[in-house]
């Protein structure tokens, strides 16, 4: 035999269902806001990385891919995120000094590009 609920018994069930839906919606909103913030940061990072890539290309005429490799090498050898390397390099256009380890790695990278260009 099926047991039917009375309207009085259904109200807590409906409230519980609404709470579950509300919780799911809230979780989705939080997740989407987090992803949105990450995308905003990625776009901002991308712009400064592209600027730094252009600077490397101007310093040692090379392809965009080769400039990317120089920046990645700087990042790895200095144990600093690529975004931080790019930010520091772009900041040199505003009279900021590039940290010594980054200067050294940039010189090495540019030297490798010049040597490869001679071959």
């Amino acid at each position: 035999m099926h047991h039917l609920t009375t309207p009085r018994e259904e109200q807590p069930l409906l409230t519980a269902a609404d709470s579950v839906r509300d919780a799911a919606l809230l979780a989705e909103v939080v997740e989407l806001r987090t992803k949105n913030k990450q995308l905003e940061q990625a776009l901002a990072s991308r712009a400064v990385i592209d600027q730094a890539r252009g600077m490397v290309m101007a310093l040692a005429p090379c392809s965009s891919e080769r400039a990317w490799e120089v920046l990645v090498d700087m990042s790895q050898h200095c144990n600093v995120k690529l975004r931080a390397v790019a930010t520091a390099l772009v900041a040199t256009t505003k009279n900021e000094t590039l940290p010594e380890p980054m200067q050294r790695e940039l010189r090495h990278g540019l030297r490798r590009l010049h040597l490869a260009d001679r071959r």
Side-chain angles (χ1 to χ4, degrees), residues 16 26 28 33-34 45 48 50 52 68 70 75 81 85 87-89 91-92 97 99 102-103 105 108 110 113 119:
L26 180 60
E28 186 175 356
R33 284 183 179 168
T34 300
S45 294
V48 75
D50 286 344
W68 173 263
V70 169
S75 170
K81 289 192 179 286
V85 168
T87 299
L89 188 56
T92 63
T97 302
M102 289 185 198
Q103 286 181 31
E105 290 305 321
H108 289 202
L110 294 175
L113 289 175
R119 295 179 191 169

Side-chain angles (χ1 to χ4, degrees), residues 34-85:
T34 300
K35 285 181 181 179
N36 189 38
K37 187 162 186 76
Q38 290 170 345
L39 286 171
E40 286 174 354
Q41 291 172 341
L43 284 173
S45 294
R46 183 63 187 218
V48 75
I49 290 169
D50 286 344
Q51 290 172 0
R53 187 186 266 189
M55 291 174 70
V56 172
M57 292 168 66
L59 291 169
C62 64
S63 69
S64 180
E65 293 78 23
R66 297 297 300 270
W68 173 263
E69 291 169 7
V70 169
L71 294 173
V72 168
D73 286 347
M74 287 175 66
S75 170
Q76 290 175 343
H77 289 112
C78 294
N79 196 27
V80 176
K81 289 192 179 286
L82 181 61
R83 176 179 59 244
V85 168

Side-chain angles (χ1 to χ4, degrees), residues 5-15:
T5 58
T6 65
R8 185 178 291 165
E9 294 171 328
E10 288 178 3
Q11 187 56 41
L13 295 175
L14 292 174
T15 302

